[in-house]
Amino acid sequence: MANNGLPALGRVKLSDLIPSEGIPSDSYKLSISTLSQSLAQYSAAIIQFSASEGALLRSGLDSARLYFHQRSLYPSADMIHTGDSREWCKTTGYYADPQLWQENYDYRPGLTPIESNNAIECAPGGLSDIFSLLGKAARDILDAISFYLNLRSSPFIEVLDNVPLRNREISSSVLSVCCNARQSFEGAQSHNLTAQEDGQLIMYPDHEHQVDKSLISLVKSDKAGLHVRDFHGRWVLVDGDLGPQEAIVYPGLALYQATAGYVSPALYRTEINNMQCSIYGRCFLAFKLMPKSMTSLSCSEMRAAGHGVDAQFQIPITVDDFMQRSHPIDQIFNRHSIQNFNFPASQDGCMKTSSRRRKNNSRSKPLPPSKRLRLVAQRVLKERVQDIAEKKGIKLRFCNLKDCEKHIHALDSPCSNIRMEIGWPPGVPFVHPHDLPNKAKIGFLEAYEPGSTHDMELNMMESGQGSQH
């Protein structure tokens, strides 16, 4: 992926990510491939909205500038805080974080913001419509990622808010209207914001590295300044050339936990070097799709899809506990693990195969396609099927090839329950892949690693034609 990845952030039309009944369209599959590769390489992607949706986002930014411009020069003490983790699903209204040089207005359906004088606060305009737009977009993006991971449809529906909210429910997800480095935000000027990069003076807040605890985050800004760390550890400006109808999307820690580490969260920071000359600073809209507090994050969907789950993700964790825990960034981003959203072009869904293939490809003499097919099938059995069996407490006992050709057509057979439990491909005898004919090996691999046998089939056809000549 790193060698043949996208030259820049992937751009995807939101309309192409909306699923429909039946067989997925070519545009849907292409958009999901672009989205997933961009998230793998850059931990972010660009989402393109329709013209009317883009106009709504731009009007929201205009309203944000006016809102912060009319506020007092510096917020009162009761409106300053740095994000208490215990209040993660209760923030609403205006507050300021001097350490980040940032002011926020949080819109959370189900809560009415109250100012310190017990008066209802006047909010920026259009928040309800923007919340609805970005919330729907975030759910469509989450479903697109699920499709790429070979999960069932809407696998995270149990941990998301009801649509619409029920009576007296409070939204876990939040829309934040934010402003960085407003010129009149004088109290933040005492903080150290400078850093040296490539001989130029760049300004960042004290806590320059941030990770959202969301499932999915969507950001629309009026000025460039959002940097995200890519697959190689380099900082990339992701909103430098955003169009009027475009926004940035990136995954958060909750999705990292729910996918057993397959989807890495975005590590980001904000540059405010060119904003001090502006009286408005840098305004942006940030929507965070959050899990409900009364649910748990587990990797059951990943296991059901046949993905390996590391020990640290085996035990479900309550969302409220997860949000209040500290998550050391170095431990997440320095994990030398195969489990990240860094898929090769074949879309097999796991880095295990790509790393092993690179080792196999380093041999001076390539293996014959038939032998390579057998070795890959054996490896998949060892890594995928055995892992599923162990987690379900199943002891694999393979059948004889001739006997099992009858078993697969019988309603009741010695291996029927085992085949069903581990998702053994229909029509393939339940024997060790070493004993399977090549055609059955292909069916076996397609079930556990879709797309992995395409090149092998071509090679086998070419080698067969060469032998005939």
Side-chain angles (χ1 to χ4, degrees):
M1 175 71 200
N3 296 328
N4 58 1
L6 301 174
L9 255 70
R11 276 182 160 83
V12 179
K13 289 183 179 180
L14 180 62
S15 58
D16 289 338
L17 289 178
I18 299 176
S20 58
E21 294 288 338
I23 298 173
S25 64
D26 291 339
S27 61
Y28 181 73
K29 291 188 288 186
L30 179 61
S31 297
I32 285 183
S33 176
T34 302
L35 172 69
S36 57
Q37 288 187 54
S38 187
L39 293 181
Q41 190 165 348
Y42 298 102
S43 294
I46 296 174
I47 298 298
Q48 298 176 323
F49 291 87
S50 68
S52 59
E53 293 167 340
L56 175 61
L57 295 178
R58 293 194 300 277
S59 68
L61 290 174
D62 292 338
S63 178
R65 281 191 291 269
L66 292 174
Y67 170 79
F68 289 111
H69 185 57
Q70 58 85 30
R71 290 203 64 89
S72 59
L73 295 183
Y74 192 67
S76 57
D78 61 335
M79 291 184 176
I80 297 176
H81 65 79
T82 56
D84 187 349
S85 61
R86 291 170 296 182
E87 303 294 320
W88 69 271
C89 61
K90 300 176 183 177
T91 57
T92 183
Y94 175 87
Y95 63 95
D97 188 342
Q99 292 183 342
L100 298 177
W101 263 45
Q102 185 167 302
E103 298 168 273
N104 303 270
Y105 183 94
D106 280 359
Y107 172 72
R108 193 182 297 275
L111 278 179
T112 302
I114 304 295
E115 283 193 325
S116 54
N117 57 1
N118 291 327
I120 296 178
E121 185 172 359
C122 182
L127 296 187
S128 176
D129 292 334
I130 296 172
F131 184 95
S132 177
L133 169 65
L134 297 182
K136 176 66 166 58
R139 288 173 183 252
D140 288 338
I141 294 166
L142 187 61
D143 283 345
I145 294 174
S146 302
F147 180 88
Y148 199 83
L149 288 171
N150 203 30
L151 306 182
R152 66 184 181 91
S153 300
S154 302
F156 302 107
I157 194 69
E158 295 295 328
V159 301
L160 295 177
D161 289 333
N162 288 311
V163 179
L165 292 171
R166 303 300 183 260
N167 189 32
R168 296 187 178 182
E169 281 186 336
I170 297 173
S171 172
S172 298
S173 301
V174 62
L175 172 62
S176 298
V177 182
C178 308
C179 184
N180 289 122
R182 185 163 61 101
Q183 195 176 69
S184 55
F185 192 42
E186 298 170 348
Q189 294 179 2
S190 61
H191 290 270
N192 178 27
L193 300 169
T194 59
Q196 196 78 18
E197 286 194 1
D198 299 329
Q200 296 182 345
L201 191 64
I202 307 294
M203 303 187 73
Y204 298 102
D206 283 346
H207 297 171
E208 61 176 56
H209 299 171
Q210 295 175 266
V211 181
D212 285 349
K213 291 187 176 181
S214 61
L215 291 161
I216 293 291
S217 295
L218 279 159
V219 176
K220 173 66 175 176
S221 59
D222 64 350
K223 292 183 180 68
L226 180 63
H227 294 251
V228 175
R229 199 172 81 174
D230 71 0
F231 176 73
H232 302 286
R234 301 171 300 200
W235 289 99
V236 179
L237 180 65
V238 294
D239 59 352
D241 60 345
L242 282 187
Q245 299 165 209
E246 296 177 335
I248 297 296
V249 61
Y250 55 83
L253 276 171
L255 190 57
Y256 170 81
Q257 177 70 29
T259 60
Y262 277 80
V263 182
S264 295
L267 181 64
Y268 66 91
R269 65 189 187 187
T270 304
E271 174 193 342
I272 58 176
N273 188 45
N274 300 319
M275 300 170 199
Q276 291 179 302
C277 59
S278 171
I279 62 173
Y280 296 110
R282 172 182 179 266
C283 291
F284 62 98
L285 307 171
F287 177 86
K288 297 178 183 178
L289 183 67
M290 308 291 289
K292 294 186 295 187
S293 60
M294 301 304 291
T295 55
S296 297
L297 296 174
S298 70
C299 300
S300 57
E301 296 291 344
M302 297 294 289
R303 283 192 290 266
H307 297 289
V309 177
D310 283 356
Q312 71 180 85
F313 300 105
Q314 292 283 354
I315 302 176
I317 177 174
T318 63
V319 169
D320 202 49
D321 187 24
F322 177 81
M323 293 299 171
Q324 295 185 51
R325 281 187 185 181
S326 62
H327 301 272
I329 292 176
D330 291 342
Q331 293 182 15
I332 296 173
F333 288 91
N334 292 335
R335 285 183 69 218
H336 297 292
S337 170
I338 51 88
Q339 292 179 343
N340 54 55
F341 200 45
N342 195 10
F343 301 114
S346 63
Q347 299 188 19
D348 64 357
C350 184
M351 272 297 287
K352 285 181 181 176
T353 58
S354 62
S355 61
R356 302 281 180 99
R357 281 173 188 156
R358 283 196 292 270
K359 293 178 181 178
N360 290 340
N361 292 341
S362 63
R363 300 184 182 187
S364 58
K365 184 178 179 180
L367 291 171
S370 58
K371 187 173 183 180
R372 182 148 43 98
L373 184 62
R374 176 169 59 84
L375 291 176
V376 172
Q378 289 179 223
R379 175 188 51 72
V380 171
L381 173 73
K382 182 180 179 181
E383 294 177 352
R384 296 287 187 87
V385 179
Q386 189 66 44
D387 187 56
I388 296 171
E390 288 176 359
K391 289 178 174 59
K392 292 180 177 290
I394 299 172
K395 187 173 182 180
L396 297 179
R397 294 184 180 88
F398 294 109
C399 303
N400 178 276
L401 178 59
K402 289 185 178 181
D403 292 339
C404 204
E405 286 175 347
K406 301 176 183 177
H407 292 168
I408 59 177
H409 299 295
L411 295 177
D412 188 17
S413 64
C415 61
S416 59
N417 290 334
I418 297 178
R419 283 190 281 113
M420 183 179 65
E421 286 285 330
I422 65 175
W424 194 265
V428 177
F430 186 64
V431 298
H432 195 286
H434 186 285
D435 301 322
L436 286 174
N438 282 338
K439 187 174 181 180
K441 286 189 181 77
I442 290 173
F444 169 81
L445 290 176
E446 280 296 324
Y448 290 97
E449 294 189 358
S452 64
T453 60
H454 178 67
D455 293 337
M456 292 185 181
E457 288 182 291
L458 292 177
N459 289 337
M460 291 174 69
M461 291 171 61
E462 291 172 358
S463 62
Q465 292 173 357
S467 64
Q468 289 175 5
H469 289 303

